Amino acid sequence: EVDPGKVAVRYDEVCAARNGTVCGETPLADLEAVLRRPRFTLSVDLGVGEGHAELYTCDCSEAYVRINSAYTS
């Protein structure tokens, strides 16, 4: 079972969440800079042991990105 308090998320080398909470020391601009790259790795550590999976995806449509870039949540 996943404990939200153990989850960590990184966008390439940039910390987005640690121990289930936002990495407050990471400026939002640093995360946005990673998202503007043509490629980046999103790492999610669920804190439930050893394991590895890879998922490949593609760009979303311009309209989808425009609508969803109006907020960050």
Side-chain angles (χ1 to χ4, degrees):
E1 190 169 316
V2 175
D3 175 357
K6 293 182 178 180
V7 173
V9 179
R10 299 183 74 75
Y11 289 43
D12 278 345
E13 72 284 354
V14 181
C15 179
R18 181 186 314 111
N19 299 322
T21 189
V22 174
C23 291
E25 73 278 5
T26 302
L28 183 56
D30 289 0
L31 292 167
E32 291 170 339
V34 174
L35 294 174
R36 283 192 294 275
R37 296 176 186 169
R39 287 187 173 178
F40 64 90
T41 299
L42 175 64
S43 301
V44 179
D45 183 348
L46 299 176
V48 294
E50 298 296 318
H52 177 86
E54 290 188 27
L55 171 74
Y56 294 91
T57 185
C58 61
D59 293 337
C60 297
S61 72
E62 183 179 333
Y64 178 86
V65 172
R66 189 177 334 101
I67 290 167
N68 287 288
S69 67
Y71 60 89
T72 54
S73 59

